[in-house]
Amino acid sequence: TWTVQVEGAGELGIDRVSARPLMPDHGHGTLPAVVEGEVIEENVMLEPLNLYMGGIWEIEFGLYAGEEPMGNFSVFVYVEG
């Protein structure tokens, strides 16, 4: 489970966040392929977000206001393994 803070979500109308984990070096992701959560008081819980293998993971986050995409960004995480 990941808890992500979305600062300014209320002012921007962001009410939903998606996360898509991928291992760029291996060319695969994980299951479920995409996890979504509702923003509540500028926080969103994303579960299950399984990074089950050691290595570098790219997690692509999508920000939404209703059905409208508001933007996306990626973070890279190294998992010891």
Side-chain angles (χ1 to χ4, degrees):
T1 300
W2 286 38
T3 302
V4 178
Q5 183 177 8
V6 187
E7 243 179 84
E11 293 102 35
L12 297 171
I14 296 169
D15 58 4
R16 184 170 50 95
V17 174
S18 67
R20 180 176 173 238
L22 299 167
M23 285 197 90
D25 291 342
H26 296 271
H28 66 76
T30 186
L31 293 175
V34 177
V35 178
E36 293 189 352
E38 179 183 358
V39 177
I40 300 172
E41 296 180 8
E42 294 196 346
N43 291 297
V44 60
M45 286 184 64
L46 298 167
E47 61 183 335
L49 192 55
N50 298 317
L51 308 182
Y52 60 90
M53 280 182 69
I56 297 173
W57 286 86
E58 177 183 8
I59 303 164
E60 182 180 286
F61 292 93
L63 307 173
Y64 298 88
E67 295 301 313
E68 182 178 346
M70 299 297 287
N72 61 7
F73 63 96
S74 291
V75 297
F76 291 84
V77 176
Y78 176 74
V79 174
E80 190 83 25

